[in-house]
Amino acid sequence: MREILTLQIGQCGNQIGLEFWKNIVQEHGIDNEGFYRGSNPVQTERANVYFTEAPGGRHVPRVVAVDLEPGVLDGIRASSLGNLFRPESMLCAQSGAGNNWAKGFYTEGAELLDSVLDIVRHDVEACDLLSGFQICHSIGGGTGSGLGSLMLQKIREEYPDRMLSTFTVMPSAAVSDTVVEPYNSVLALHHLIENADMTFCLDNEALSNICIDVLKIKSPVHKDLNTLVAKVMSGVTTSLRFPGQLNADMRKLAVNMVPFPRLHFLMSGLAPLTSAATVGYRQVTVPDLCQQMYGPQNMLVNCDPRHGRYLTCAAMFRGRVSVKECEDTVLAYADKHSSAFIEWIPNSTQIAVCDVPPAGMDIAATFLGNNTAIQESFRRISDQFSRIFRRKAFIHWFTDEGMDEMEFTEAESNINDLVNEYQQYQDAAVDDGMLYEDEGAAYEGDAVGYAEQDAAVE
């Protein structure tokens, strides 16, 4: 019941995915071959959210791993979890996307698309009730952005009523891996705005800062960063997989987190985050979790929530905690910092409580916030894009693959519209006194520029 199908696309998506599966098998007491070795029946009661059961009691991850070059998938096959995955669920081409969105979307990726969709259909048909899809990818390279955009588009066409959430690694301000990163990012964001239901934004700079400043890891490697992402991924679906006092699934989360369909880009945070040296010296309480999860240094994307305002939030607590204490603590925080929350959405924080804590912890929390400050990331990417696009630099690599220059212009204007929408709702007050029409009658209320928004969408 309520299964989730995971799609890992590109090098980054597959590396994050591998850490995620390491986390999930540990939580469900499953060994590296897929067999249950735990002692608590709660662990396997709803393991079918992420696993299908094969003959002999073997648990097989419901995943499709795709890349346009074989290196990363070969690495997964050779890893400790190599025997966990079904061999035909890993698909790769040989040529690579060469950091080019157009190769992933139009040429190399399109050649692999039918094979990927066949496996997706096979997995979906084997489900009792598919809850939705989660996609792991980055948008700076070629495969994650190009093939990721293509998969988003095709899945939205084929399964329009299923939830589609993405864990998207954004380009960071300080470190850029590729020169054409702004092109790839803008083109991929264009598709994310139109096709995803929820996008959990992440970036390497914020993850590195957490590892260095909070966890006190002097020289973090990608594995350390991916472990943080894996914890958020498992935290988001914890209510689907384990019994709890207050449940939240993917659809419930989206209904409460996304006030307007285009504004579905969420910040995520974790608590408790402490260095290994200090773990034994403090008892973590619910107020500690609440204080830490709202903190800007705990956000997994490089935006300061204090520069914007929260439209909506979700706090998912894990472990033996009192629901009343969780509700009271979150409410007290919202009252104390009322200016950080949009006043025309009352009670904007959704709370979920799950009884089973993460491995090795007593209590923990996963935080999600729909904050208008996320526009900082989009504005930064858009500025870089316009600088490089003004001179038409590097554009021939994209047009040679069959792209039209108009696509760049459309994508850029879509992102600029999104930034303006975030700013518009951030500045809106309860008593704006705008007129809006509902079923033929005109009311004066707290609507915020609906006429302008409708015109922009049309």
Side-chain angles (χ1 to χ4, degrees), residues 234-313:
S234 61
V236 167
T237 58
T238 187
S239 294
L240 277 176
R241 298 181 289 116
F242 297 113
Q245 304 164 66
L246 264 178
N247 286 329
D249 59 26
M250 281 172 84
R251 193 170 294 278
K252 245 184 214 176
L253 199 57
V255 165
N256 286 283
M257 290 298 293
V258 183
F260 306 101
R262 285 164 59 85
L263 310 190
H264 57 250
F265 295 87
L266 312 180
M267 294 179 172
S268 45
L270 284 170
L273 287 176
T274 47
S275 66
T278 58
V279 165
Y281 290 90
R282 56 183 298 198
Q283 178 73 33
V284 180
T285 62
V286 171
D288 286 342
L289 291 180
C290 189
Q291 185 180 358
Q292 196 175 20
M293 72 186 184
Y294 278 106
Q297 72 279 4
N298 270 42
M299 295 300 160
L300 272 61
V301 64
N302 198 26
C303 297
D304 192 334
R306 294 169 298 190
H307 296 166
R309 302 175 79 193
Y310 285 108
L311 293 162
T312 52
C313 300

Coordinates of all heavy atoms in Angstrom, one line a residue, residues 234-313:
S234 N 14.7 10.2 4.1 CA 14.0 9.2 4.9 C 13.0 9.8 5.9 O 12.0 9.3 6.3 CB 15.0 8.2 5.6 OG 15.8 9.0 6.5
G235 N 13.4 11.0 6.4 CA 12.6 11.7 7.4 C 11.2 12.2 6.8 O 10.2 12.2 7.5
V236 N 11.3 12.5 5.5 CA 10.0 13.0 4.9 C 9.0 11.9 4.8 O 7.8 12.2 4.9 CB 10.4 13.6 3.5 CG1 9.2 13.8 2.6 CG2 11.2 14.9 3.6
T237 N 9.4 10.7 4.6 CA 8.5 9.6 4.4 C 8.3 8.7 5.6 O 7.8 7.6 5.5 CB 8.9 8.7 3.2 OG1 10.2 8.2 3.4 CG2 8.9 9.5 1.9
T238 N 8.8 9.1 6.7 CA 8.8 8.3 7.9 C 7.4 7.9 8.3 O 7.2 6.8 8.8 CB 9.6 9.0 9.1 OG1 9.8 8.1 10.1 CG2 8.9 10.2 9.6
S239 N 6.4 8.8 8.2 CA 5.1 8.4 8.6 C 4.4 7.4 7.7 O 3.5 6.7 8.1 CB 4.2 9.7 8.5 OG 4.6 10.6 9.5
L240 N 4.9 7.3 6.5 CA 4.4 6.2 5.6 C 4.9 4.8 6.0 O 4.3 3.8 5.8 CB 4.8 6.5 4.2 CG 4.0 7.4 3.3 CD1 4.7 7.6 2.0 CD2 2.6 6.9 3.1
R241 N 6.1 4.8 6.6 CA 6.8 3.6 6.8 C 6.7 3.0 8.2 O 6.9 1.8 8.5 CB 8.3 3.8 6.5 CG 8.6 4.1 5.1 CD 10.0 4.3 4.7 NE 10.6 5.5 5.3 CZ 11.6 5.5 6.2 NH1 12.1 4.3 6.7 NH2 12.1 6.6 6.7
F242 N 6.4 3.9 9.2 CA 6.3 3.4 10.6 C 5.0 4.0 11.2 O 4.5 5.0 10.8 CB 7.5 3.9 11.4 CG 8.8 3.4 10.9 CD1 9.8 4.2 10.3 CD2 9.1 2.0 11.0 CE1 11.0 3.7 9.9 CE2 10.3 1.5 10.6 CZ 11.3 2.4 10.0
P243 N 4.5 3.3 12.2 CA 3.3 3.8 12.9 C 3.6 5.1 13.7 O 4.7 5.3 14.1 CB 2.9 2.6 13.9 CG 4.2 1.9 14.1 CD 4.9 2.0 12.8
G244 N 2.6 5.9 13.9 CA 2.8 7.1 14.6 C 1.5 7.7 15.1 O 0.4 7.2 14.9
Q245 N 1.7 8.8 16.0 CA 0.5 9.4 16.6 C -0.2 10.4 15.6 O -1.4 10.6 15.7 CB 0.9 10.1 17.9 CG 1.6 9.1 18.9 CD 2.4 9.9 19.9 OE1 1.7 10.6 20.7 NE2 3.7 9.8 19.9
L246 N 0.6 11.0 14.8 CA 0.1 12.0 13.8 C 0.8 11.7 12.5 O 2.0 11.8 12.4 CB 0.5 13.4 14.2 CG -0.6 14.2 15.0 CD1 0.0 15.5 15.4 CD2 -1.8 14.4 14.3
N247 N 0.0 11.3 11.5 CA 0.6 10.8 10.2 C 0.7 11.9 9.2 O -0.2 12.8 9.1 CB -0.1 9.6 9.7 CG 0.3 8.4 10.5 OD1 1.4 8.3 11.0 ND2 -0.7 7.4 10.6
A248 N 1.6 11.8 8.3 CA 1.7 12.7 7.1 C 2.2 11.9 5.9 O 3.3 11.3 6.1 CB 2.6 13.9 7.4
D249 N 1.5 11.9 4.8 CA 2.1 11.2 3.6 C 2.5 12.3 2.6 O 2.4 13.5 2.8 CB 1.1 10.1 3.1 CG -0.2 10.7 2.7 OD1 -0.2 11.9 2.4 OD2 -1.2 10.0 2.7
M250 N 2.9 11.8 1.4 CA 3.4 12.8 0.4 C 2.3 13.8 0.0 O 2.5 15.0 -0.1 CB 3.9 12.0 -0.8 CG 5.2 11.4 -0.7 SD 5.6 10.4 -2.1 CE 6.2 11.6 -3.3
R251 N 1.1 13.3 -0.2 CA 0.0 14.2 -0.6 C -0.4 15.1 0.5 O -0.6 16.3 0.2 CB -1.2 13.3 -1.1 CG -2.2 14.1 -1.9 CD -3.3 13.2 -2.5 NE -2.7 12.4 -3.6 CZ -2.5 12.8 -4.8 NH1 -2.7 14.1 -5.2 NH2 -2.0 12.0 -5.7
K252 N -0.5 14.6 1.7 CA -0.9 15.5 2.9 C 0.2 16.6 3.0 O -0.2 17.7 3.3 CB -0.8 14.6 4.1 CG -2.2 14.4 4.8 CD -1.9 13.7 6.1 CE -3.1 12.8 6.4 NZ -2.9 11.9 7.5
L253 N 1.4 16.2 2.8 CA 2.5 17.2 2.9 C 2.4 18.3 1.9 O 2.4 19.4 2.2 CB 3.8 16.4 2.8 CG 5.1 17.1 3.3 CD1 5.0 17.4 4.7 CD2 6.3 16.2 3.0
A254 N 2.1 17.8 0.6 CA 2.0 18.8 -0.4 C 0.8 19.7 -0.2 O 0.9 21.0 -0.5 CB 1.9 18.1 -1.8
V255 N -0.3 19.2 0.2 CA -1.5 20.0 0.4 C -1.3 21.1 1.4 O -1.8 22.2 1.3 CB -2.7 19.1 0.8 CG1 -3.9 19.9 1.4 CG2 -3.2 18.2 -0.4
N256 N -0.5 20.7 2.5 CA -0.3 21.7 3.5 C 0.9 22.6 3.2 O 1.0 23.7 3.9 CB 0.0 21.0 4.8 CG -1.3 20.4 5.4 OD1 -2.1 21.1 6.0 ND2 -1.5 19.1 5.3
M257 N 1.8 22.2 2.3 CA 3.0 23.0 2.1 C 3.0 23.9 0.9 O 3.8 24.9 0.9 CB 4.2 22.0 2.0 CG 4.6 21.3 3.2 SD 5.2 22.3 4.5 CE 6.7 23.0 3.8
V258 N 2.1 23.7 0.0 CA 2.2 24.4 -1.3 C 0.9 25.2 -1.5 O -0.1 24.7 -1.9 CB 2.3 23.4 -2.5 CG1 2.5 24.2 -3.8 CG2 3.5 22.5 -2.3
P259 N 1.0 26.5 -1.1 CA -0.2 27.4 -1.2 C -0.6 27.8 -2.6 O -1.7 28.0 -2.9 CB 0.2 28.6 -0.3 CG 1.6 28.6 -0.3 CD 2.1 27.2 -0.5
F260 N 0.4 27.8 -3.5 CA 0.2 28.2 -4.9 C 1.0 27.2 -5.7 O 2.2 26.9 -5.4 CB 0.6 29.6 -5.2 CG 0.0 30.6 -4.3 CD1 0.6 31.2 -3.2 CD2 -1.3 31.0 -4.5 CE1 0.0 32.0 -2.3 CE2 -2.0 31.9 -3.6 CZ -1.3 32.4 -2.5
P261 N 0.5 26.7 -6.8 CA 1.1 25.5 -7.5 C 2.6 25.8 -7.9 O 3.4 24.9 -7.9 CB 0.2 25.3 -8.7 CG -0.7 26.4 -8.8 CD -0.8 27.0 -7.4
R262 N 2.9 27.0 -8.3 CA 4.3 27.3 -8.7 C 5.3 27.4 -7.6 O 6.5 27.2 -7.8 CB 4.3 28.5 -9.6 CG 3.7 28.3 -11.0 CD 3.4 29.6 -11.7 NE 4.6 30.5 -11.8 CZ 5.4 30.4 -12.8 NH1 5.3 29.5 -13.8 NH2 6.5 31.3 -12.9
L263 N 4.8 27.8 -6.4 CA 5.7 28.0 -5.3 C 5.8 26.7 -4.4 O 5.4 26.6 -3.3 CB 5.1 29.1 -4.4 CG 4.7 30.4 -5.1 CD1 4.4 31.5 -4.0 CD2 5.8 30.9 -6.0
H264 N 6.5 25.8 -5.0 CA 6.6 24.4 -4.4 C 8.1 24.1 -4.1 O 8.4 22.9 -4.0 CB 6.0 23.4 -5.3 CG 6.5 23.2 -6.6 ND1 5.8 23.6 -7.8 CD2 7.7 22.8 -7.1 CE1 6.6 23.4 -8.8 NE2 7.7 22.9 -8.4
F265 N 8.9 25.1 -4.0 CA 10.4 24.9 -3.7 C 10.6 25.0 -2.2 O 10.4 26.1 -1.6 CB 11.2 25.8 -4.5 CG 11.1 25.6 -6.0 CD1 10.1 26.2 -6.7 CD2 12.0 24.7 -6.6 CE1 10.0 26.0 -8.1 CE2 11.9 24.5 -8.0 CZ 10.9 25.1 -8.7
L266 N 11.0 23.9 -1.6 CA 11.1 23.9 -0.1 C 12.5 23.8 0.4 O 13.3 23.2 -0.2 CB 10.3 22.6 0.4 CG 8.9 22.4 -0.2 CD1 8.3 21.1 0.4 CD2 8.0 23.6 0.1
M267 N 12.7 24.5 1.5 CA 14.0 24.4 2.3 C 13.8 23.2 3.2 O 12.7 22.9 3.7 CB 14.2 25.6 3.1 CG 14.5 26.9 2.4 SD 14.7 28.2 3.6 CE 15.3 29.5 2.5
S268 N 14.9 22.5 3.5 CA 14.8 21.4 4.5 C 15.9 21.5 5.5 O 16.9 22.2 5.3 CB 14.9 20.0 3.7 OG 16.0 20.1 2.8
G269 N 15.6 21.0 6.7 CA 16.6 21.1 7.8 C 16.5 19.8 8.6 O 15.5 19.1 8.6
L270 N 17.5 19.6 9.5 CA 17.6 18.4 10.3 C 17.9 18.8 11.8 O 18.6 19.8 12.0 CB 18.7 17.5 9.9 CG 18.4 16.6 8.6 CD1 19.7 16.0 8.2 CD2 17.4 15.6 8.9
A271 N 17.4 18.1 12.7 CA 17.8 18.2 14.1 C 17.7 16.8 14.8 O 16.8 16.1 14.4 CB 16.9 19.3 14.8
P272 N 18.5 16.5 15.7 CA 19.6 17.3 16.2 C 20.9 17.0 15.3 O 21.1 15.9 14.8 CB 19.9 16.6 17.6 CG 19.5 15.2 17.4 CD 18.3 15.2 16.4
L273 N 21.6 18.1 15.1 CA 22.9 18.0 14.4 C 24.0 18.4 15.4 O 24.0 19.6 15.8 CB 23.0 18.9 13.2 CG 22.2 18.5 12.0 CD1 22.2 19.5 10.9 CD2 22.7 17.1 11.4
T274 N 24.8 17.5 15.9 CA 25.9 17.8 16.8 C 27.1 17.0 16.4 O 27.0 15.9 15.8 CB 25.5 17.4 18.3 OG1 24.9 16.1 18.3 CG2 24.5 18.4 18.9
S275 N 28.2 17.5 16.8 CA 29.5 16.8 16.5 C 29.6 15.5 17.3 O 29.0 15.4 18.4 CB 30.7 17.7 16.7 OG 30.8 18.0 18.1
A276 N 30.3 14.6 16.8 CA 30.5 13.3 17.5 C 31.1 13.4 18.9 O 30.7 12.7 19.8 CB 31.3 12.3 16.6
A277 N 31.9 14.5 19.0 CA 32.6 14.7 20.3 C 31.6 15.1 21.4 O 31.9 14.9 22.6 CB 33.7 15.7 20.1
T278 N 30.5 15.8 21.1 CA 29.7 16.4 22.1 C 28.4 15.6 22.3 O 27.5 16.0 23.1 CB 29.3 17.8 21.8 OG1 28.7 17.9 20.5 CG2 30.6 18.7 21.7
V279 N 28.2 14.5 21.5 CA 26.9 13.8 21.6 C 26.6 13.3 23.0 O 25.4 13.5 23.5 CB 26.9 12.6 20.6 CG1 25.8 11.6 20.9 CG2 26.8 13.1 19.2
G280 N 27.6 12.8 23.7 CA 27.3 12.2 25.0 C 27.2 13.2 26.2 O 26.9 12.8 27.3
Y281 N 27.3 14.5 25.8 CA 27.3 15.5 26.9 C 26.0 16.3 27.0 O 25.9 17.2 27.9 CB 28.4 16.5 26.7 CG 29.8 15.9 26.9 CD1 30.4 15.3 25.8 CD2 30.4 15.9 28.1 CE1 31.7 14.8 26.0 CE2 31.6 15.4 28.3 CZ 32.3 14.8 27.2 OH 33.5 14.2 27.4
R282 N 25.0 16.0 26.2 CA 23.7 16.7 26.3 C 22.5 15.9 26.0 O 22.5 15.0 25.1 CB 23.7 18.0 25.5 CG 24.0 17.7 24.0 CD 24.0 19.0 23.2 NE 22.8 19.8 23.3 CZ 22.4 20.7 22.4 NH1 23.3 21.1 21.5 NH2 21.3 21.3 22.5
Q283 N 21.5 16.1 26.8 CA 20.2 15.4 26.6 C 19.3 16.3 25.6 O 19.1 17.5 25.8 CB 19.5 15.3 27.9 CG 18.1 14.7 27.8 CD 18.2 13.2 27.6 OE1 19.1 12.5 28.0 NE2 17.2 12.7 26.8
V284 N 18.9 15.7 24.5 CA 18.2 16.5 23.5 C 16.7 16.4 23.9 O 16.1 15.4 24.1 CB 18.4 15.9 22.1 CG1 17.6 16.7 21.1 CG2 19.8 15.9 21.7
T285 N 16.0 17.6 23.9 CA 14.6 17.7 24.2 C 13.9 18.3 23.0 O 14.5 18.8 22.0 CB 14.4 18.7 25.4 OG1 14.9 20.0 25.0 CG2 15.2 18.2 26.6
V286 N 12.5 18.3 23.1 CA 11.7 18.8 22.0 C 12.0 20.3 21.7 O 12.2 20.7 20.6 CB 10.2 18.5 22.2 CG1 9.4 19.3 21.2 CG2 10.0 17.1 22.1
P287 N 12.1 21.2 22.8 CA 12.5 22.6 22.5 C 13.8 22.7 21.9 O 14.0 23.6 21.0 CB 12.5 23.2 23.9 CG 11.5 22.3 24.7 CD 11.7 21.0 24.2
D288 N 14.8 21.8 22.2 CA 16.1 21.9 21.5 C 16.0 21.6 20.0 O 16.5 22.3 19.2 CB 17.0 20.8 22.1 CG 17.6 21.2 23.5 OD1 17.5 22.3 23.8 OD2 18.0 20.2 24.2
L289 N 15.2 20.6 19.7 CA 14.9 20.2 18.3 C 14.3 21.4 17.6 O 14.7 21.8 16.5 CB 14.0 19.0 18.2 CG 14.5 17.7 18.6 CD1 13.4 16.6 18.4 CD2 15.8 17.3 17.8
C290 N 13.3 22.0 18.2 CA 12.6 23.1 17.6 C 13.5 24.3 17.3 O 13.5 24.9 16.2 CB 11.4 23.5 18.4 SG 10.3 24.7 17.6
Q291 N 14.3 24.6 18.3 CA 15.2 25.8 18.2 C 16.2 25.5 17.1 O 16.5 26.4 16.3 CB 15.9 26.0 19.5 CG 16.8 27.3 19.5 CD 17.5 27.5 20.8 OE1 17.3 26.8 21.8 NE2 18.3 28.5 20.9
Q292 N 16.7 24.3 17.0 CA 17.8 24.0 16.0 C 17.2 23.9 14.6 O 17.8 24.3 13.7 CB 18.5 22.7 16.4 CG 19.8 22.5 15.7 CD 20.6 21.3 16.1 OE1 20.1 20.4 16.7 NE2 21.9 21.3 15.9
M293 N 16.0 23.3 14.5 CA 15.5 23.0 13.1 C 15.1 24.3 12.4 O 15.2 24.4 11.2 CB 14.4 22.0 13.1 CG 13.1 22.5 13.6 SD 12.0 21.1 13.7 CE 10.5 21.9 14.3
Y294 N 14.8 25.3 13.1 CA 14.4 26.6 12.5 C 15.7 27.5 12.2 O 15.6 28.5 11.6 CB 13.5 27.4 13.4 CG 12.0 27.1 13.3 CD1 11.4 26.3 14.3 CD2 11.3 27.4 12.2 CE1 10.0 26.0 14.2 CE2 9.9 27.1 12.1 CZ 9.3 26.4 13.1 OH 8.0 26.0 13.0
G295 N 16.8 27.1 12.8 CA 18.0 27.9 12.7 C 18.6 27.9 11.3 O 18.6 26.9 10.6
P296 N 19.1 29.1 10.8 CA 19.6 29.2 9.4 C 20.8 28.3 9.1 O 21.0 27.9 8.0 CB 19.9 30.7 9.3 CG 20.0 31.2 10.7 CD 19.1 30.4 11.5
Q297 N 21.6 28.0 10.2 CA 22.8 27.2 10.0 C 22.4 25.7 9.8 O 23.3 24.9 9.4 CB 23.8 27.3 11.1 CG 23.3 26.7 12.4 CD 22.3 27.5 13.2 OE1 21.9 28.6 12.8 NE2 22.0 27.0 14.4
N298 N 21.1 25.4 10.0 CA 20.7 24.0 9.8 C 20.0 23.7 8.4 O 19.6 22.6 8.1 CB 19.7 23.6 10.9 CG 20.5 23.0 12.1 OD1 21.5 23.5 12.5 ND2 19.9 21.9 12.6
M299 N 19.9 24.8 7.6 CA 19.2 24.6 6.3 C 20.1 24.0 5.3 O 21.3 24.3 5.3 CB 18.7 26.0 5.8 CG 17.7 26.6 6.6 SD 16.2 25.6 6.8 CE 15.4 26.3 8.2
L300 N 19.6 23.0 4.5 CA 20.4 22.3 3.6 C 20.5 23.0 2.2 O 21.0 22.4 1.3 CB 19.9 20.9 3.4 CG 20.4 19.8 4.4 CD1 20.0 20.2 5.8 CD2 19.8 18.4 4.1
V301 N 20.1 24.2 2.2 CA 20.2 25.1 1.0 C 20.7 26.4 1.4 O 20.4 26.9 2.5 CB 18.9 25.2 0.2 CG1 17.8 25.9 1.0 CG2 19.1 25.9 -1.1
N302 N 21.6 27.0 0.6 CA 22.3 28.2 1.0 C 21.5 29.5 0.9 O 21.8 30.4 0.1 CB 23.6 28.3 0.2 CG 24.6 29.3 0.8 OD1 24.6 29.5 2.0 ND2 25.4 29.9 0.0
C303 N 20.4 29.6 1.6 CA 19.5 30.8 1.7 C 19.3 31.0 3.2 O 19.0 30.1 3.9 CB 18.2 30.5 1.0 SG 18.4 30.2 -0.8
D304 N 19.2 32.3 3.5 CA 19.0 32.6 4.9 C 17.5 32.9 5.1 O 16.9 33.8 4.5 CB 19.7 33.9 5.3 CG 19.7 34.1 6.8 OD1 18.8 33.7 7.4 OD2 20.7 34.8 7.3
P305 N 16.8 32.0 5.8 CA 15.3 32.2 6.0 C 14.9 33.5 6.6 O 13.8 33.9 6.5 CB 14.9 31.0 6.9 CG 16.1 30.4 7.5 CD 17.3 30.8 6.6
R306 N 15.9 34.1 7.3 CA 15.6 35.4 8.0 C 15.4 36.5 6.9 O 14.9 37.6 7.2 CB 16.7 35.8 8.9 CG 16.8 34.8 10.1 CD 18.0 35.0 11.0 NE 19.3 34.8 10.2 CZ 20.4 34.7 10.8 NH1 20.6 34.9 12.1 NH2 21.5 34.5 10.0
H307 N 15.9 36.3 5.7 CA 15.7 37.3 4.6 C 14.3 37.2 4.0 O 14.0 38.1 3.1 CB 16.8 37.1 3.5 CG 18.2 37.4 4.1 ND1 19.3 37.0 3.4 CD2 18.6 37.9 5.2 CE1 20.4 37.3 4.1 NE2 20.0 37.9 5.2
G308 N 13.6 36.2 4.3 CA 12.2 36.0 3.7 C 11.2 35.7 4.8 O 11.5 36.0 6.0
R309 N 10.1 35.2 4.4 CA 9.1 34.8 5.4 C 8.5 33.5 5.1 O 8.4 33.1 3.9 CB 7.9 35.9 5.5 CG 8.4 37.3 5.8 CD 7.3 38.3 5.7 NE 6.5 38.3 6.8 CZ 5.3 38.9 6.9 NH1 4.8 39.6 5.8 NH2 4.6 38.9 8.0
Y310 N 8.1 32.7 6.1 CA 7.6 31.4 5.9 C 6.1 31.5 5.4 O 5.3 32.1 6.1 CB 7.6 30.6 7.1 CG 9.0 30.1 7.5 CD1 9.7 30.6 8.6 CD2 9.6 29.1 6.7 CE1 11.0 30.2 8.9 CE2 10.9 28.6 7.0 CZ 11.6 29.2 8.1 OH 12.8 28.7 8.4
L311 N 5.8 30.9 4.3 CA 4.4 30.7 3.8 C 3.8 29.6 4.6 O 2.8 29.7 5.2 CB 4.4 30.4 2.3 CG 4.8 31.6 1.4 CD1 5.1 31.0 0.0 CD2 3.7 32.6 1.3
T312 N 4.6 28.4 4.6 CA 4.1 27.2 5.4 C 5.4 26.5 5.9 O 6.5 26.7 5.4 CB 3.3 26.3 4.5 OG1 4.1 26.0 3.3 CG2 2.0 26.9 4.1
C313 N 5.2 25.6 6.9 CA 6.2 24.8 7.4 C 5.7 23.4 7.7 O 4.5 23.2 7.9 CB 6.8 25.4 8.8 SG 7.5 27.0 8.6

